[in-house]
Amino acid sequence: MSIKHWKRALFILSLGLVLGIVPAHGQHHGDITHDSVPAPAEAIAHAGHEADHGHQDQGFNAGEMITEHILDAHEWHIADIGKLHLTVPLPVILWDRDEGQLVSFCSGKFHHGHESYRGYMLAHEGPNKGKIVKVLPGTMEQDMDAALPLDFSFTKNVLGIFVSIIILLVVFISAARRYARHPGAPKGLQSVLEPLILFIRDDIVIPSIGEKRYMRYMPFLLTLFFFIFLNNLLGLVPIFPGGANVTGNIAVTMVLALFTFVITSFSGNKAYWMHIVNAPGVPWWLKIPVPLMPIVELIGVFTKPFVLMVRLFANITAGHIIMLGFISLIFIFGEMHAALGYGVSVISIAFSIFMYLLELLVAFIQAYVFTLLSALYFGMATEEHAHEH
């Protein structure tokens, strides 16, 4: 795999991911701290801070805490030290449809969602909760008559995508250059990457696509596997720059599945499309006068990428929710009685550690399954059905 192919594949994939996530991120936003790090260590600190300081009147809200942790945010929350909130503010880029102008500023101007800026604020309730909305002059009340601005801001997940892409470029370009200088036995990082690359090639791509055509799809499939695998792992890291729930964002998984769908559609040969329109071996009365089987086959073309999208999103999100649920039990029982909180904490942390280790396995399995199914779709689209002519 040449450096040129890696750069091209990563650039196309990153461009599609950013274009896919930016318009969709507004609905994935919390209301106060907007921390979306799905990791037990930071969840404990953040949940404890809310239970002790932010929610003394209404108690600890486990659902709200979990929602804020797994969804996207306009700032990257790092830690709370007393009353100090360490965050990385991110650029806010809006297109005001009422004024017909582009507006940009730093998300720090919102002061963690407590203030409005230049007539905009983060909505805390209602159908636009979590989105940036226009406010009435001199108030913090949403202007219901104003059109919702188009939000193209850089969010935590967008920044997380760029972090993972930079890591992939640095790792693979350095490994490729080392191979060019020393084409011998792999050493160091090469000894970790080479077995994975050979595993993908020999056990996934070649059996699914065939030895004649597999090289055409290797750059994309390798990029796909390592992008998903790396972001799954980074989502489990509780400290910056880890913690962004990239592969738990359905906009990201949608773009990945869309790439697979587009490549499959453009790669499909005559035999592939004929099997959809006029499947062999099917009774004529299922094709004429009502084209039942062609309709079913055509629906299958669209359900395949849909399943890819939902499977990755659901598995990664579910794992984070379960871990945060165990952590929440500490504060739920702690509000009943301090002794109960300490007792439950032992069980909760033990189960969280178990889930954490299980998530490491899931991180690999989900990347493997997504890559395998994509390769199978490519193989189905390019297979020659010579025996049927």
Side-chain angles (χ1 to χ4, degrees), residues 296-342:
V296 171
E297 291 289 339
L298 190 61
I299 292 174
V301 171
F302 295 97
T303 56
K304 289 172 183 176
F306 178 79
V307 170
L308 278 180
M309 172 186 72
V310 174
R311 177 187 284 108
L312 179 58
F313 158 74
N315 279 280
I316 299 302
T317 302
H320 294 162
I321 291 175
I322 291 173
M323 285 192 292
L324 292 168
F326 281 124
I327 296 300
S328 298
L329 291 176
I330 300 173
F331 303 99
I332 293 172
F333 283 95
E335 287 185 342
M336 299 179 185
H337 195 280
L340 277 175
Y342 287 118

Side-chain angles (χ1 to χ4, degrees), residues 150-365:
L150 296 177
D151 193 350
F152 299 97
S153 307
F154 266 53
T155 61
K156 182 177 181 178
N157 283 344
V158 174
L159 184 58
I161 288 172
F162 280 105
V163 169
S164 62
I165 288 171
I166 291 171
I167 293 174
L168 288 175
L169 286 173
V170 170
V171 168
F172 282 97
I173 290 177
S174 62
R177 286 175 176 172
R178 184 177 179 84
Y179 269 115
R181 292 194 302 265
H182 307 285
K187 296 181 180 179
L189 191 60
Q190 292 173 293
S191 60
V192 177
L193 296 176
E194 185 171 302
L196 282 174
I197 293 173
L198 293 178
F199 167 74
I200 295 169
R201 186 193 69 181
D202 298 338
D203 294 341
I204 298 178
V205 182
I206 291 179
S208 301
I209 302 176
E211 293 188 6
K212 294 181 179 180
R213 298 177 297 274
Y214 83 94
M215 277 301 298
R216 182 181 178 184
Y217 304 96
M218 276 293 287
F220 172 75
L221 293 172
L222 284 174
T223 305
L224 191 66
F225 175 84
F226 284 104
F227 177 83
I228 296 173
F229 185 41
L230 177 61
N231 279 289
N232 288 349
L233 294 178
L234 287 176
L236 300 173
V237 177
I239 58 175
F240 183 83
N245 190 21
V246 173
T247 46
N249 187 305
I250 198 166
V252 174
T253 60
M254 177 189 69
V255 173
L256 295 175
L258 187 61
F259 270 108
T260 296
F261 170 74
V262 171
I263 294 174
T264 303
S265 299
F266 278 94
S267 299
N269 55 24
K270 182 179 178 181
Y272 171 74
W273 293 110
M274 284 300 297
H275 270 65
I276 294 174
V277 177
N278 184 22
V282 177
W284 66 267
W285 48 270
L286 289 176
K287 305 175 186 179
I288 302 174
V290 179
L292 182 61
M293 283 306 298
I295 292 175
V296 171
E297 291 289 339
L298 190 61
I299 292 174
V301 171
F302 295 97
T303 56
K304 289 172 183 176
F306 178 79
V307 170
L308 278 180
M309 172 186 72
V310 174
R311 177 187 284 108
L312 179 58
F313 158 74
N315 279 280
I316 299 302
T317 302
H320 294 162
I321 291 175
I322 291 173
M323 285 192 292
L324 292 168
F326 281 124
I327 296 300
S328 298
L329 291 176
I330 300 173
F331 303 99
I332 293 172
F333 283 95
E335 287 185 342
M336 299 179 185
H337 195 280
L340 277 175
Y342 287 118
V344 171
S345 65
V346 177
I347 302 174
S348 294
I349 292 175
F351 274 104
S352 296
I353 293 173
F354 170 76
M355 282 300 303
Y356 209 87
L357 296 174
L358 187 61
E359 281 292 286
L360 294 175
L361 179 61
V362 171
F364 175 82
I365 291 175

